[in-house]
């Protein structure tokens, strides 16, 4: 009993030490010392709202994602129906193909005295692109057809470390891998929150069966 009590006391002392260490990072006391009356009132209301929301298990993130999805109803985000009746393969009419082209540019190693996209914007661009892809239901097609991921797979197989048009392949492959890890983490978080707000009817996966392809010489014309 004395051992468990001592362990509990040590844990309590450690928690108090951590609270004291991070006390200067608390927003409300800081604004109460340096802010205007209006800023103090806003900070207190925001702190109270956050505590109540956490107690109730609510999340503004889910509400925001649902609202953004309602803005993506325009057909321009998905393009026209695929001619093969399944999915677009060569056409770049869906948003995920546009994002693949943008990501390819971001992954090109920069030169001296130049800044990368993450140095300028952090991971905000990844969050924006991945969020739209998930909300449009295009994540699986993005993982399958992304230009960068294809280059990464090829480079892993041949292991080439050449400079093509002033672009070192190995260095670019390393950047693509970092982007891939970040994208997967963002996708995991987005899917977790989106599944919690979807209804049972929308979570049912609809499976379509397609006939095997027939060679043109065997196809009959009506």
């Amino acid at each position: 009993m004395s051992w468990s009590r001592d362990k509990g006391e040590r844990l309590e002392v450690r928690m108090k030490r951590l609270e004291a260490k991070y006390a200067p990072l608390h927003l409300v006391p800081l604004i109460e010392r340096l802010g205007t009356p209006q800023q103090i009132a806003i900070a207190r209301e925001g702190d109270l709202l956050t505590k109540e929301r956490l107690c109730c298990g609510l999340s503004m993130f889910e509400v925001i994602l649902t609202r953004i999805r309602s803005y993506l109803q325009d057909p321009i985000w998905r393009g026209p129906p695929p001619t093969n009746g399944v999915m677009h393969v060569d056409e770049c009419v869906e948003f995920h193909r546009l994002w693949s082209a943008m990501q390819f540019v971001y992954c090109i190693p920069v030169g001296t005295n130049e800044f990368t996209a993450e140095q300028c914007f952090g991971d905000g661009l990844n969050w924006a692109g991945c969020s739209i892809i998930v909300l449009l239901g295009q994540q699986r097609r993005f993982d399958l057809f992304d230009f960068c991921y294809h280059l990464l797979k090829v480079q892993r197989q041949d292991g080439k470390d050449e400079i093509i048009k002033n672009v070192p392949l190995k260095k670019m492959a390393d950047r693509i891998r970092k982007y891939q890890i970040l994208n997967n983490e963002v996708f995991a978080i987005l899917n977790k929150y989106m599944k919690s707000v979807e209804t049972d009817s929308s979570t049912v996966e609809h499976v379509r069966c397609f006939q095997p392809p027939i060679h043109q010489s065997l196809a009959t014309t009506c």
Side-chain angles (χ1 to χ4, degrees):
M1 294 294 293
S2 61
W3 178 82
S4 60
R5 184 169 59 252
D6 294 341
K7 184 178 180 180
E9 291 177 355
R10 289 198 302 269
L11 180 60
E12 184 178 357
V13 172
R14 185 183 303 176
M15 292 298 296
K16 289 183 178 179
R17 189 184 304 115
L18 290 175
E19 290 177 0
K21 178 180 178 181
Y22 293 104
L25 299 179
H26 291 174
L27 182 63
V28 176
L30 180 63
I31 294 180
E32 288 177 345
R33 293 198 311 269
L34 304 175
T36 63
Q38 183 180 8
Q39 291 173 337
I40 294 174
I42 294 175
R44 289 174 177 173
E45 292 176 358
D47 184 59
L48 178 62
L49 176 62
T50 301
K51 291 179 179 178
E52 291 182 349
R53 188 177 73 241
L54 292 175
C55 292
C56 299
L58 301 177
S59 173
M60 287 292 294
F61 192 46
E62 298 176 0
V63 178
I64 293 174
L65 289 176
T66 304
R67 180 67 62 87
I68 295 176
R69 183 165 58 179
S70 67
Y71 299 151
L72 303 176
Q73 302 303 321
D74 195 296
I76 194 174
W77 296 97
R78 296 178 171 83
T83 55
N84 58 12
V86 183
M87 67 175 66
H88 297 286
V89 179
D90 297 325
E91 300 85 358
C92 296
V93 296
E94 294 183 302
F95 174 79
H96 73 91
R97 300 307 295 268
L98 171 63
W99 180 250
S100 290
M102 296 173 63
Q103 182 172 261
F104 187 88
V105 176
Y106 298 151
C107 289
I108 297 177
V110 298
T112 307
N113 300 325
E114 294 180 345
F115 297 97
T116 61
E118 55 268 26
Q119 288 177 324
C120 295
F121 307 105
D123 57 0
L125 291 175
N126 297 78
W127 273 98
C130 293
S131 296
I132 296 177
I133 289 175
V134 169
L135 296 175
L136 291 173
Q138 300 177 2
Q139 178 186 346
R140 293 183 178 178
R141 294 195 290 278
F142 170 76
D143 291 335
L144 180 63
F145 294 116
D146 181 64
F147 308 131
C148 293
Y149 294 175
H150 175 70
L151 177 62
L152 178 61
K153 292 177 182 177
V154 173
Q155 199 278 334
R156 281 180 171 177
Q157 291 296 324
D158 57 30
K160 290 186 177 181
D161 188 11
E162 302 177 359
I163 298 179
I164 307 298
K165 295 183 178 180
N166 297 323
V167 177
L169 295 180
K170 180 63 169 60
K171 191 173 182 179
M172 184 171 181
D174 293 339
R175 285 185 52 77
I176 292 174
R177 178 53 183 161
K178 294 178 180 178
Y179 264 69
Q180 187 181 46
I181 293 174
L182 177 58
N183 289 342
N184 291 338
E185 293 177 351
V186 174
F187 282 142
I189 295 173
L190 292 170
N191 288 321
K192 176 183 176 182
Y193 278 94
M194 290 309 300
K195 288 179 180 178
S196 64
V197 298
E198 290 177 346
T199 59
D200 293 338
S201 59
S202 62
T203 55
V204 177
E205 240 183 284
H206 299 281
V207 179
R208 294 178 58 188
C209 298
F210 300 93
Q211 294 295 330
I214 301 177
H215 193 270
Q216 187 175 2
S217 60
L218 302 177
T220 57
T221 58
C222 298

